[in-house]
Amino acid sequence: MPLTPVLTKRWLSPQSWSLRSYEELDGYTALRKALTVAPGELVTLVKDSGLRGRGGAGFPTGLKWSFIPQGDTGAGAKPKYLVVNADEGEPGTCKDLPLMMADPHSLIEGVIISSFAINANFAVIYVRGEAVHALRRVQSAVHEAYQAGYLGTDILGSGYDLEVVVHAGAGAYICGEETALLDSLEGYRGQPRLKPPFPAVAGLYGSPTVINNVETLCSVPYIVLGGAQWWKSMGTEKSSGPKIFSLSGRVEKPGQYEAPMGTTLRELLDLAGGVREGHELKFWTPGGSSTPYFTAEHIDVPLDFDEVAAAGSMLGTTALMIFDETDCIVKATLRFTKFYAHESCGKCTPCREGTYWMVQILQRLVDGEGTAEDLETLLDTCDNILGRSFCALGDGATSPITSSIQYFRDDYIALLPEHERAKLTVGAAQ
Amino acid sequence: MTVQPDTTVDKATLTIDGFEITVPQGTLIIRAAEQLGIQIPRFCDHPLLDPVGACRQCIVEIEGQRKPVVACSVAVADGMAVRTQFTSKVADKAQKGTMELLLINHPLDCPVCDKGGECPLQNQAMSNGRSESRFRDVKRTYAKPLAISSQVLLDRERCVLCARCTRFSNQVAGDPFIELFERGALEQVAIYEDEPFESYFSGNTVQICPVGALTGAAYRFRARPFDLMSTPSVCEHCASGCAQRTDWRRGKVMRRLAGEDPEVNEEWNCDKGRWAFSYATEADRILTPLVRDEETGELTAASWPEALERAAAGLRIARDAGGVGMLCGGRVTLEDAYAYAKFARVVLGSNDVDMRARAHSAEELEFLTGVVAGHRDDVTYADLEAAPAVLLVGFEPEEESPIVFLRLRRLNQTRGLAVFAAAPFASPGTAKLNGTVLLTPPGSEPRVLAALGDGSAGGPGAAAASAMRRPGAVILIGERAAEFPGTFAAATSLAQTTGARMAWVPRRAGERGAVEAGALPSLLPGGVRADDAFARTGVLEFWGVDAPAAAGRDTAAMLSAAREGALGGLVVGGVDPADLPDPATALAALDAAGFVLSLEIRHSAVTERADVVLPVAPAVHKSGSYLTWEGRHRPFEETLRGTGALADGRVLHALADELDVDLALPTPEAARAELMSIGRLLAGATKSTGRLTGGATKSTGRLTGGATNTGSDFLPIGRLTGGATNTGPDFRSASSAGLRPDSPELRSGQALLASWRLLLDEGSLQDGEPHLAGTARRPVLRLSVGTAREIGASAGDLVTVTGAKASITLPLVVTVMPDRVVWVPMKSPGSAVRAGLGSAPGDVVAIAIGRPVN
Ligand SMILES: Cc1cc2nc3c(=O)[nH]c(=O)nc-3n(C[C@H](O)[C@H](O)[C@H](O)COP(=O)(O)O)c2cc1C
Ligand code: SF4
Ligand code: SF4
Ligand code: SF4
Ligand code: FES
């Protein structure tokens, strides 16, 4: 499959992260163009491109921007903020950090254009705390951009001002959830906020705020340069543009693969040299651990928002974790569930207590101490969490469990002690 | 007060379980359901706290919505169809599911838990839970209990992490010293190690905790709720006037809770009101009358007849030897205050009666007579709700009237009520009100207020001056204004020039009532001036006596008269000499007086010097009423009956009998009935052409027990509006003689003393409650940075302030305040200003780094 990289096109250039390399490869030309256009037109352009958020939920980016109240009265009169979600924490996901490492200026250019589009004069890049390398790289790129006049007051003589602050989080998965991120940014414990009010109306410090993912914002300069139609020429009808897929696990060549939306796992495996030699695909996540597992049957599902949803999972962050027949699905699920129990912020009962409990059940199962009722208890507890918890972290915690039981019930049963298994056979016969 | 339905608010009509209801837009589903009588289970929800949606217990379904929602955080919408657990399988299952999850880590130790029997978790587990838990794994456990403060204990494994306690502390009290820490199943309530849970309102967290996770040290493991009797009560500690509930068992008070009164304390109270009640059961409680043995000089137990006879004989002699003065203290009930007021006039034939056991002045008396008396409900909590700005003068709400503080704070938080304080520094309370302090050295109040009135104030004063001119602005003036001559006059004239309304907020619970009851040397009951010939005649005719028209002696004058022998004796009820402006003179007066009768609950410096001591009932053993600072009537019933303890009024009635006078006040009901008659009499007088027809109303004065608690009114309620009958006080005697701290008379090493009482201190009504005392603010001394530098002190150093008699040494907190002003707490451990230091606020004292040299 021929690939024309967009987002990753500079990654292999020497010193791709430097301002000089960036400028040599069209860097900041989109900004010059954008500053000549009315902000509202930029919002329309992004709407027309069909760009959907790359942070996991796939919310249409232009639409999100259009929610920011503008004008001289009410919420419109308040300062507006752009917050970049660079907290990349979804297990298996590895696209925002490489983007920031290899091409930080594309993020900064995206930030400036997007801020300009929503009339924000202040933007924050909230970077995962452990990612010190990426933090430094973005910090120095921001510094370079200030020096070159791309940031600060009267940017490129346009009269537009923008200050950018790079902020290091403290490494909590929940702080990737946009409202928890805002609380964390304001100095509170990161826990999600009640909505409404939505961040577009009352976000950072109670002011209208757009929160976008790194990859989302990196896409913006290309749309400005190439136009909405060009962007839509890639991908599928409702999921336009290119996307970075992170392949990890049992593949020959794990890594980031940029491909149009709608590319299938089969095609991606071709690029990545296939499942490791001598083994076969058993199950995989299409978009990180919070998205229900797929199996070998799903190898030809086009990976775009709607097709993946129709097949029973979610595109999430296009983090494809590949498992083969040597991997125990129950162990993998236990490992993921431990992650959610550890990362649950504790605010709401279903997620806090449910993950605590399910870890113990799964551990018993893995240890060969499960009971015949455990599967039903797991499914029922997931039912009590999904859609009942405060934020999507709790929902995500149920994905591996329900989908693994759905596809691999027998693997669970096989782990039960003999006498417990017997109960199930009797139950089934009745 | 009835709340007018606000027709300007948009309404929404929805159905809940098929029942239609119309409520204002923005109403939360859970509240709308309550109005229909549909109870949705909940833990984190609390109507007075911002919704948080954390426990997920209140899940309901909305028809047409994919996901169920939490009823406590989602507002209604027009046309919405809500299905609760009663009609939705989804909601019912979700609620049962949440309940099961809440219980997996719960110890289920109900049989030994304080909350058992009144526990929302227990109750809802019964009504909305599964009968069997499927949990067979390992529960989370913690070391227990964790002391959040000396008074509040936390059993973490019982906590359902609803964040009620933390939200209360943050949103209502403004004391964010208790927070949720950690993540996931390890999330837990905790305090910062360096900042203990120092809050005057911490007990509310115990009350609103929906499980037994927070307990009060004093009540822990003492009782089961179903063994307790509950009696509605009114707090006796301050003029905020909290409704409370007293729970008792076998003649002993076990705990007190905040009562619900949306107009006054909403659902809160302060820790003093909640926990300071063991003073009544201290070992030094006086249970029998005592008379001084002529031979040994010791007090010995006596029978009531004997003691009354001795008291009557003593009073008879003293009355003839110059007269008898009555000091009744500011903690009296309205009825008891009336008994003192009437006893003085009817039995002793004198106006020598004063309830002010604190700094007081002639100017204050003018103010109380002219501006306060007879003006009940002039300014109320509801008026604060409507006020755009409030100016505090000689008044620290958090220390001196905590519910006024909570109300101001809520108004500041929710709608930006502007608070200004004429004070020497921004106290922690002022800071929590986001208040602007008009830096006022002690004694400079008149100057600062005058500048607000004549527009000469600059800086924050200019903002205050214009805020006070906005319609509805309120001046809250404290009793401490009496410490600084000219302050009442200046405040009154500020109110006149700006149009601001004014309310007097005394610290003690009985003072406002005592003003109406006439327990002041220049006031008869009903706000009648002793020198108002016309009204006075009515009251005296009603009593059937004649009494001097001239104002009597005030507290200080009575004491010096007694010391000099001009007065023959003193009747002292509930006064701690250490609280008086000049404790030494007071003690000398008690020693010198020919005859001293003490009406007391517990032994004191007065009983030590008394000739006869008659025991009286603490609040819990009597019925009566207080007036809040607003003048709102707060009647209460006897909580612990049948102890034989007598109210002051009953004792005075018996004593009058012994002196062959029928005081006609055998019960609080009788006192209230008389007050009511006087009220009618005065109301009738103002309506008619001016002749007081005393006899006509006299007969209607009978009022029986049951009627007293209806809140029916008994005294006229005046409003201080334009054409009021009131002519305003006469402040000719007042001067503003305050020494300015920049005055050349002050040298380096000298400062003006500023001081006031802290809510929790060495007040005798807090005795016997060490857990409560442990939560008091640490006594500190405050100086400006400049003054600290002048004496070579820096933050944390011990600094000694030396007054007329002795010195006080406390650690220094450098504070933004005027130079050469020093502040120390008035009556806290290690800081007794009046009895120890021997100086008063506004006096010049010496300051030096280190401990005193002697
Ligand atoms: C538990 C949780 C973790 C999340 N972590 C991230 C993250 O690390 N990065 C991210 O961009 N979005 C994350 N999200 C999604 C954000 O809440 C939000 O939808 C996104 O940042 C919006 O940006 P977009 O519109 O550009 O996708 C997370 C959501 C949840 C519920
Ligand atoms: S689902 Fe609840 S406990 Fe879990 S992370 Fe979200 S808010 Fe926190
Ligand atoms: S201690 Fe009580 S009030 Fe506080 S969070 Fe826990 S359960 Fe809620
Ligand atoms: S605020 Fe006053 S009335 Fe209320 S509980 Fe405290 S001391 Fe009592
Ligand atoms: S009561 Fe609604 S979530 Fe707790």
Side-chain angles (χ1 to χ4, degrees):
Chain A
M1 192 177 77
L3 283 181
T4 31
V6 178
L7 298 161
T8 57
K9 70 176 186 181
R10 298 185 195 87
W11 286 19
L12 298 176
S13 318
Q15 300 227 320
S16 63
W17 56 88
S18 69
L19 180 60
R20 196 161 43 80
S21 298
Y22 189 65
E23 283 174 333
E24 277 166 12
L25 296 166
D26 314 330
Y28 291 111
T29 50
L31 173 62
R32 289 174 202 279
K33 186 172 168 192
L35 289 174
T36 63
V37 187
E41 279 178 44
L42 289 170
V43 176
T44 310
L45 172 73
V46 172
K47 261 191 198 168
D48 291 347
S49 75
L51 175 65
R52 291 172 69 173
R54 301 321 196 203
F59 194 84
T61 306
L63 186 62
K64 185 184 269 190
W65 293 1
S66 69
F67 291 154
I68 295 293
Q70 302 288 355
D72 304 329
T73 54
K78 291 188 178 176
K80 294 149 198 82
Y81 301 120
L82 177 76
V83 173
V84 185
N85 191 339
D87 194 51
E88 186 163 72
E90 176 70 15
T93 314
C94 189
K95 60 184 183 70
D96 297 340
L97 291 182
L99 255 176
M100 290 186 285
M101 287 302 291
D103 199 2
H105 282 285
S106 72
L107 173 61
I108 295 168
E109 188 173 7
V111 166
I112 307 170
I113 299 173
S114 308
S115 301
F116 179 68
I118 61 164
N119 284 311
N121 299 108
F122 184 80
V124 184
I125 305 175
Y126 183 101
V127 185
R128 169 152 287 267
E130 302 95 317
V132 183
H133 51 312
L135 183 76
R136 290 210 187 102
R137 189 145 286 173
V138 175
Q139 271 169 341
S140 67
V142 165
H143 180 70
E144 276 182 311
Y146 267 106
Q147 303 254 294
Y150 296 123
L151 287 175
T153 47
D154 191 20
I155 294 168
L156 301 177
S158 63
Y160 173 64
D161 307 336
L162 179 68
E163 299 295 330
V164 170
V165 165
V166 184
H167 181 97
Y173 174 52
I174 189 59
C175 291
E177 196 284 332
E178 55 188 21
T179 58
L181 186 154
L182 294 178
D183 262 20
S184 163
L185 205 48
E186 290 182 14
Y188 299 102
R189 267 171 100 225
Q191 284 199 327
R193 297 179 180 176
L194 213 57
K195 291 186 264 190
F198 289 93
V201 178
L204 186 60
Y205 301 113
S207 286
T209 303
V210 162
I211 299 137
N212 272 136
N213 172 256
V214 170
E215 193 185 356
T216 312
L217 293 169
C218 286
S219 303
V220 171
Y222 304 105
I223 297 173
V224 170
L225 281 183
Q229 286 314 312
W230 167 76
W231 186 262
K232 287 178 78 154
S233 72
M234 290 170 283
T236 59
E237 195 196 334
K238 287 192 178 144
S239 303
S240 59
K243 182 81 190 73
I244 301 174
F245 295 85
S246 325
L247 268 72
S248 63
R250 310 298 198 187
V251 281
E252 285 295 339
K253 288 186 286 172
Q256 291 74 40
Y257 294 88
E258 182 180 0
M261 284 281 199
T263 306
T264 64
L265 175 64
R266 187 185 299 278
E267 291 162 332
L268 289 167
L269 280 175
D270 280 350
L271 296 169
V275 172
R276 64 176 177 158
E277 186 71 54
H279 293 277
E280 56 188 271
L281 177 66
K282 182 174 179 189
F283 59 98
W284 54 292
T285 64
S289 63
S290 306
T291 62
Y293 294 122
F294 272 165
T295 65
E297 275 173 37
H298 300 96
I299 194 161
D300 291 316
V301 172
L303 296 177
D304 75 7
F305 289 109
D306 304 296
E307 294 287 347
V308 173
S313 188
M314 289 174 285
L315 188 64
T317 55
T318 54
L320 291 80
M321 288 182 277
I322 314 291
F323 299 82
D324 66 23
E325 82 291 347
T326 64
D327 296 309
C328 169
I329 183 117
V330 186
K331 267 192 192 160
T333 303
L334 168 62
R335 184 67 197 80
F336 284 148
T337 308
K338 280 186 175 168
F339 170 81
Y340 291 103
H342 183 258
E343 294 294 338
S344 162
C345 81
K347 180 171 189 152
C348 73
T349 310
C351 168
R352 178 185 70 234
E353 307 295 337
T355 54
Y356 173 89
W357 187 7
M358 295 192 303
V359 164
Q360 296 199 37
I361 298 178
L362 287 163
Q363 186 70 59
R364 274 196 288 107
L365 284 164
V366 166
D367 294 345
E369 292 164 12
T371 68
E373 299 81 43
D374 280 345
L375 288 195
E376 276 325 298
T377 305
L378 280 175
L379 286 175
D380 191 54
T381 303
C382 286
D383 185 52
N384 289 336
I385 299 173
L386 182 67
R388 278 60 171 157
S389 53
F390 190 96
C391 82
L393 188 150
D395 295 342
T398 68
S399 293
I401 297 174
T402 40
S403 61
S404 61
I405 297 178
Q406 179 188 349
Y407 297 122
F408 300 100
R409 196 180 188 102
D410 288 346
D411 290 31
Y412 278 88
I413 293 173
L415 288 172
L416 291 179
E418 194 68 47
H419 59 279
E420 292 293 329
R421 211 179 313 146
K423 286 190 205 163
L424 285 177
T425 350
V426 174
Q430 277 171 350
Chain B
M1 200 185 76
T2 52
V3 178
Q4 292 293 318
D6 188 348
T7 47
T8 59
V9 174
D10 286 340
K11 303 279 183 174
T13 299
L14 67 154
T15 65
I16 302 177
D17 293 340
F19 299 100
E20 194 176 285
I21 184 169
T22 302
V23 291
Q25 290 277 8
T27 305
L28 298 167
I29 293 174
I30 202 167
R31 299 279 96 78
E34 280 168 0
Q35 291 185 27
L36 281 169
I38 297 172
Q39 168 93 358
I40 300 169
R42 80 288 302 269
F43 293 107
C44 64
D45 170 72
H46 191 286
L48 299 181
L49 302 175
D50 292 347
V52 56
C55 75
R56 317 306 280 179
Q57 186 57 55
C58 64
I59 285 183
V60 297
E61 247 193 320
I62 297 173
E63 276 176 25
Q65 289 198 9
R66 193 170 52 85
K67 286 211 291 186
V69 301
V70 281
C72 69
S73 316
V74 174
V76 299
D78 209 36
M80 199 181 241
V82 177
R83 300 201 163 277
T84 73
Q85 71 273 16
F86 296 113
T87 58
S88 154
K89 283 212 174 72
V90 171
D92 188 51
K93 170 160 194 294
Q95 292 179 7
K96 290 206 160 71
T98 301
M99 179 59 70
E100 181 183 36
L101 289 169
L102 274 177
L103 294 180
I104 67 168
N105 269 323
H106 194 84
L108 300 172
D109 59 347
C110 313
V112 295
C113 174
D114 279 357
K115 205 80 171 188
E118 57 178 12
C119 174
L121 181 64
Q122 200 178 37
N123 297 345
Q124 292 175 42
M126 297 302 196
S127 59
N128 301 70
R130 304 167 59 99
S131 44
E132 262 327 295
S133 172
R134 294 173 291 184
F135 185 75
R136 48 184 293 267
D137 297 276
V138 183
K139 280 183 196 269
R140 178 191 63 201
T141 50
Y142 289 112
K144 62 187 285 180
L146 196 74
I148 295 277
S149 70
S150 71
Q151 186 56 268
V152 181
L153 304 177
L154 168 67
D155 290 290
R156 284 170 291 178
E157 74 287 0
R158 286 185 192 143
C159 170
V160 293
L161 300 164
C162 68
R164 278 189 182 185
C165 54
T166 54
R167 278 178 294 150
F168 169 83
S169 304
N170 258 305
Q171 296 167 13
V172 180
D175 298 323
F177 300 126
I178 169 172
E179 250 309 340
L180 287 161
F181 283 53
E182 304 292 344
R183 275 199 323 231
L186 289 180
E187 191 185 41
Q188 54 191 276
V189 172
I191 49 171
Y192 308 113
E193 260 167 47
D194 306 335
E195 292 188 51
F197 187 29
E198 263 187 21
S199 171
Y200 288 157
F201 305 99
S202 68
N204 293 295
T205 64
V206 175
Q207 187 168 345
I208 62 174
C209 177
V211 294
L214 294 176
T215 48
Y219 175 72
R220 192 174 164 87
F221 300 143
R222 296 293 152 78
R224 316 304 334 260
F226 33 81
D227 290 336
L228 296 175
M229 300 293 290
S230 297
T231 306
S233 53
V234 175
C235 178
E236 74 274 38
H237 288 292
C238 90
S240 283
C242 290
Q244 295 198 329
R245 191 183 99 192
T246 301
D247 284 358
W248 52 277
R249 187 186 59 187
R250 279 182 259 127
K252 194 164 178 235
V253 174
M254 302 307 294
R255 64 173 175 181
R256 299 207 305 195
L257 303 165
E260 279 184 40
D261 188 333
E263 289 180 17
V264 179
N265 55 311
E266 302 179 90
E267 299 180 22
W268 318 124
N269 67 354
C270 79
D271 288 356
K272 182 151 120 184
R274 181 178 302 266
W275 282 316
F277 57 82
S278 37
Y279 68 90
T281 46
E282 283 292 87
D284 59 0
R285 177 77 194 277
I286 306 166
L287 295 168
T288 64
L290 303 167
V291 297
R292 199 162 292 280
D293 187 297
E294 268 150 35
E295 270 153 40
T296 64
E298 296 292 313
L299 281 178
T300 51
S303 68
W304 273 102
E306 183 194 349
L308 286 172
E309 202 187 303
R310 277 281 295 275
L315 286 182
R316 224 179 247 118
I317 296 166
R319 186 174 57 187
D320 298 340
V324 177
M326 294 193 97
L327 310 177
C328 67
R331 304 214 168 269
V332 276
T333 60
L334 175 71
E335 294 77 1
D336 289 343
Y338 177 69
Y340 280 99
K342 187 175 177 187
F343 191 95
R345 274 76 183 217
V346 173
V347 181
L348 301 173
S350 155
N351 280 325
D352 287 347
V353 55
D354 198 343
M355 57 83 179
R356 296 171 299 168
R358 50 169 176 80
H360 55 281
S361 66
E363 178 196 355
E364 181 195 29
L365 200 53
E366 270 306 317
F367 177 81
L368 296 180
T369 313
V371 178
V372 176
H375 291 285
R376 297 177 49 223
D377 290 353
D378 229 20
V379 178
T380 63
Y381 283 107
D383 293 305
L384 298 182
E385 292 282 334
V390 167
L391 171 67
L392 310 172
V393 181
F395 176 46
E396 287 291 336
E398 196 188 20
E399 309 287 2
E400 297 172 309
S401 207
I403 291 301
V404 172
F405 168 78
L406 283 193
R407 186 64 65 99
L408 294 177
R409 183 170 145 83
R410 173 161 70 66
L411 297 171
N412 171 263
Q413 294 285 311
T414 54
R415 61 162 185 77
L417 166 74
V419 176
F420 298 92
F425 61 92
S427 64
T430 304
K432 283 188 272 176
L433 294 172
N434 294 308
T436 305
V437 69
L438 313 174
L439 290 180
T440 308
S444 292
E445 284 77 2
R447 187 165 55 78
V448 170
L449 297 180
L452 298 183
D454 64 24
S456 65
S466 75
M468 283 301 108
R469 287 169 167 81
R470 292 173 60 190
V474 170
I475 301 171
L476 294 179
I477 190 162
E479 63 186 33
R480 286 188 287 110
E483 288 164 353
F484 309 117
T487 305
F488 282 114
T492 309
S493 94
L494 179 65
Q496 272 153 9
T497 38
T498 58
R501 298 163 65 192
M502 182 152 56
W504 177 66
V505 190
R507 209 174 56 87
R508 294 183 172 122
E511 291 209 358
R512 185 64 188 81
V515 171
E516 294 311 318
L520 284 171
S522 60
L523 264 178
L524 296 175
V528 170
R529 301 176 71 106
D531 59 4
D532 174 341
F534 174 69
R536 173 184 125 77
T537 317
V539 176
L540 296 181
E541 260 178 31
F542 177 81
W543 281 341
V545 296
D546 198 15
R553 296 178 176 95
D554 66 13
T555 301
M558 280 187 263
L559 288 168
S560 28
R563 193 172 68 159
E564 288 150 14
L567 266 181
L570 292 170
V571 177
V572 187
V575 171
D576 180 352
D579 289 344
L580 293 169
D582 185 355
T585 306
L587 294 180
L590 290 167
D591 286 332
F595 180 76
V596 175
L597 169 63
S598 165
L599 279 68
E600 254 305 353
I601 298 170
R602 292 162 55 202
H603 280 288
S604 73
V606 179
T607 61
E608 249 173 59
R609 292 166 173 81
D611 297 291
V612 178
V613 179
L614 300 175
V616 289
V620 68
H621 291 308
K622 64 185 177 188
S623 67
S625 57
Y626 297 113
L627 298 188
T628 66
W629 63 274
E630 319 149 281
R632 185 190 301 260
H633 192 215
R634 304 296 267 173
F636 59 91
E637 289 297 325
E638 196 174 336
T639 299
L640 300 180
R641 291 166 191 273
T643 59
L646 305 179
D648 299 48
R650 178 76 185 81
V651 171
L652 291 173
H653 173 86
L655 185 59
D657 226 30
E658 201 64 37
L659 288 157
D660 302 324
V661 179
D662 180 11
L663 198 61
L665 301 176
T667 61
E669 288 74 28
R672 226 174 297 161
E674 276 201 12
L675 280 164
M676 196 181 241
S677 302
I678 292 172
R680 289 215 197 90
L681 185 78
L682 296 170
T686 41
K687 263 191 234 129
S688 76
T689 48
R691 255 191 59 79
L692 279 179
T693 46
T697 46
K698 210 171 183 176
S699 57
T700 59
R702 263 185 335 109
L703 200 78
T704 44
T708 53
N709 252 352
T710 59
S712 61
D713 234 301
F714 56 93
L715 283 172
I717 296 180
R719 282 209 161 250
L720 191 59
T721 42
T725 48
N726 186 285
T727 51
D730 173 9
F731 284 123
R732 269 164 304 186
S733 59
S735 69
S736 54
L739 186 61
R740 299 170 62 137
D742 51 6
S743 134
E745 290 163 52
L746 271 188
R747 294 187 317 271
S748 165
Q750 287 188 328
L752 294 182
L753 178 68
S755 183
W756 52 78
R757 299 270 308 251
L758 302 184
L759 181 74
L760 299 178
D761 63 2
E762 300 208 301
S764 61
L765 293 197
Q766 299 157 61
D767 286 349
E769 193 39 86
H771 304 296
L772 175 64
T775 69
R777 286 193 170 135
R778 196 173 58 105
V780 296
L781 176 147
R782 294 178 186 273
L783 292 174
S784 73
V785 64
T787 307
R789 204 175 291 140
E790 215 169 61
I791 62 163
S794 43
D797 286 349
L798 287 180
V799 171
T800 295
V801 44
T802 305
K805 267 175 50 187
S807 37
I808 289 173
T809 305
L810 289 173
L812 170 67
V813 171
V814 175
T815 305
V816 177
M817 60 195 293
D819 288 335
R820 295 196 181 167
V821 172
V822 59
W823 180 89
V824 291
M826 178 85 87
K827 199 182 182 182
S828 294
S831 187
V833 167
R834 295 214 184 266
L837 199 62
S839 296
D843 286 357
V844 177
V845 290
I847 47 171
I849 183 169
R851 296 192 176 279
V853 275
N854 39 4

